[in-house]
Amino acid sequence: MTIRVMLVDDQVLLRTGFRMVLAAQPDMEVVAEAGDGVEALQVLRSGEVDVVLMDVRMPKLDGVETTRRICSEPDPPKVLILTTFDLDEYAFSGLKAGASGFMLKDVPPGELLAAIRSVHSGDAVVAPSTTRRLLDRFAPMLPSAGKEPQHQELNRLTDREREVMVLVAQGLSNGEIAGRLVLSEATVKTHVGRILTKLGLRDRVQVVVLAYETGLVRAGGGHG
């Protein structure tokens, strides 16, 4: 199956570079491009896209709001945010808006391709250390950061589910969580599924966002 990718970035050179990398892959095809969020929304209405590579800082309509509008549509494509570590304080907001993950713009091509395949298959790109560093950097900028957990649904979780949620939010894979808690990987997967159901969350990215927002996990990797 070919993954249909859309590139959304106001820098033509960056889009060209990404297009060249993706064109060399037998399972990927760049089917659309846009230079800003308004154009992206218009283009998406007339074509089928599986994964959107979304810049954050763009004229007319930024990547966060564009992502929010895309993800509010029925059966939307997956959105992978591309950000610049030192400048882009909006990446975390992109996850809140519904993105399935984010990568640095200078990510090695192999990691970018793996991320595209991951989000296309339904996974969320939250495990890499770069993502944890970004979360630690931007979580304090959220209005609710630093408060005690306030999300009432957290009370619906068992002690074990809260343990698993904290480790998911710290970027651990199911296998790593299984090793940490001395559980089978299948059991961890079951716990994660129950967490998603009880909290009404779409994927692991939203688990991370909620854990940071409520203070269940602190910037720096600790937890409340």
Side-chain angles (χ1 to χ4, degrees), residues 1 3 50-51 78 100 114-125:
M1 175 185 293
I3 303 173
D50 299 312
V51 177
K78 306 292 186 180
S100 293
I116 292 171
R117 294 184 179 106
S118 291
V119 299
H120 179 251
S121 67
D123 291 332
V125 183

Side-chain angles (χ1 to χ4, degrees), residues 30-31 47 70 74 79 114 143:
V30 176
V31 296
I70 289 173
V79 178

Side-chain angles (χ1 to χ4, degrees), residues 54-167:
M54 179 74 71
D55 184 25
V56 174
R57 296 193 167 198
M58 296 182 295
K60 297 184 181 178
L61 192 66
D62 67 33
V64 174
E65 180 58 28
T66 305
T67 297
R68 184 177 293 111
R69 295 188 189 185
I70 289 173
C71 294
S72 67
E73 294 292 326
D75 195 25
K78 306 292 186 180
V79 178
L80 184 59
I81 295 281
L82 296 174
T83 182
T84 304
F85 177 68
D86 288 328
L87 299 175
D88 196 350
E89 65 271 22
Y90 301 112
F92 198 90
S93 298
L95 294 182
K96 289 181 64 180
S100 293
F102 55 76
M103 304 290 289
L104 303 183
K105 280 192 173 181
D106 60 356
V107 64
E111 290 186 26
L112 176 63
L113 296 171
I116 292 171
R117 294 184 179 106
S118 291
V119 299
H120 179 251
S121 67
D123 291 332
V125 183
V126 296
S129 60
T130 51
T131 301
R132 287 199 291 271
R133 288 201 303 271
L134 279 165
L135 290 171
D136 291 342
R137 178 180 177 88
F138 299 132
M141 300 178 187
L142 292 170
S144 57
K147 296 182 180 179
E148 291 303 312
Q150 296 295 321
H151 202 275
Q152 293 301 314
E153 279 78 1
L154 290 181
N155 296 329
R156 301 174 61 189
L157 302 180
T158 65
D159 290 343
R160 176 63 87 187
E161 287 165 354
R162 286 174 75 98
E163 279 185 286
V164 171
M165 182 173 178
V166 167
L167 295 177

Side-chain angles (χ1 to χ4, degrees), residues 15-38:
R15 295 206 310 267
T16 301
F18 287 135
R19 185 170 63 247
M20 290 174 63
V21 171
L22 270 58
Q25 305 304 306
D27 62 337
M28 295 184 191
E29 179 185 2
V30 176
V31 296
E33 295 186 35
D36 60 64
V38 172

